[in-house]
Amino acid sequence: QPDLVERLISVDISPTSTAPVSEFSAYVSAMKSVKIPDGLSRSAARQLADDQLCPVVQLPQLRQFLLTNLVEVEGRYVWRVNLEAISHHLADIMGFPVFHKPFPGPALFLGGSNSPYISSKHYPEIQRLFPKARVQYIEGAGHIVHQDKFEEFITAVLNFLPPP
């Protein structure tokens, strides 16, 4: 329902399948394999989980982002997100549905320069579905653009939005 959307911002994702460039499956597996004994403090549990994720999730800022989903429930540490459901539906999550009708409004595809999720090979599909799209990269940011380069991210979003 494009008439309900005035403008669209897509942050580090393109309207194509992301499975070929994603390490997400390995991250989900690593998160599922984390073992934390009961009774640990929050900081000790997070450090233990961080240590266990480190071999697979090498970027510290990405590990910290994933660890925001580690929560204490009744004295045990569990993942807030449903890792079983995510792993069973990963193909659907990483895919992108086929659309034929383009979005007629302004669109910003805001990517991290160090991320593979918006590349020049995606430009034709972006232009087909979003004819008024602009692609912009934030230098030095990875996939989690808003965490890696917060001020630059906010500036780009505010510059795209109409003045109040």
Side-chain angles (χ1 to χ4, degrees):
Q1 297 183 340
D3 54 313
L4 298 178
V5 179
E6 179 184 330
R7 298 172 169 259
L8 180 134
I9 300 175
S10 175
V11 180
D12 208 52
I13 201 75
S14 63
T16 61
S17 173
T18 57
V21 297
S22 179
E23 298 168 329
F24 197 69
S25 178
Y27 298 161
V28 170
S29 294
M31 291 169 73
K32 286 170 66 173
S33 69
V34 167
K35 303 290 183 240
I36 301 172
D38 295 348
L40 289 183
S41 69
R42 178 173 160 78
S43 61
R46 284 179 64 95
Q47 184 59 57
L48 184 59
D50 187 54
D51 293 344
Q52 292 177 51
L53 290 173
C54 190
V56 176
V57 185
Q58 291 157 355
L59 290 172
Q61 59 269 47
L62 180 54
R63 284 196 313 277
Q64 292 307 307
F65 179 76
L66 295 176
L67 288 170
T68 63
N69 291 288
L70 186 65
V71 295
E72 185 181 2
V73 176
E74 298 177 3
R76 299 182 64 228
Y77 287 92
V78 296
W79 295 105
R80 177 187 344 249
V81 293
N82 186 337
L83 294 174
E84 283 303 316
I86 290 171
S87 62
H88 283 99
H89 298 281
L90 204 51
D92 295 323
I93 294 168
M94 303 308 282
F96 193 84
V98 176
F99 288 102
H100 300 288
K101 184 177 178 183
F103 172 72
L108 172 64
F109 283 77
L110 185 58
S113 67
N114 297 337
S115 171
Y117 288 96
I118 301 175
S119 77
S120 59
K121 69 181 179 184
H122 302 135
Y123 292 175
E125 187 66 356
I126 290 171
Q127 286 301 305
R128 183 183 76 80
L129 291 172
F130 305 92
K132 294 183 182 174
R134 180 167 52 104
V135 177
Q136 179 181 343
Y137 295 96
I138 294 182
E139 192 62 38
H143 181 57
I144 309 172
V145 182
H146 65 280
Q147 180 181 356
D148 293 350
K149 297 287 183 170
F150 180 76
E151 289 182 23
E152 293 89 337
F153 172 80
I154 294 297
T155 299
V157 168
L158 291 175
N159 287 338
F160 177 72
L161 297 175

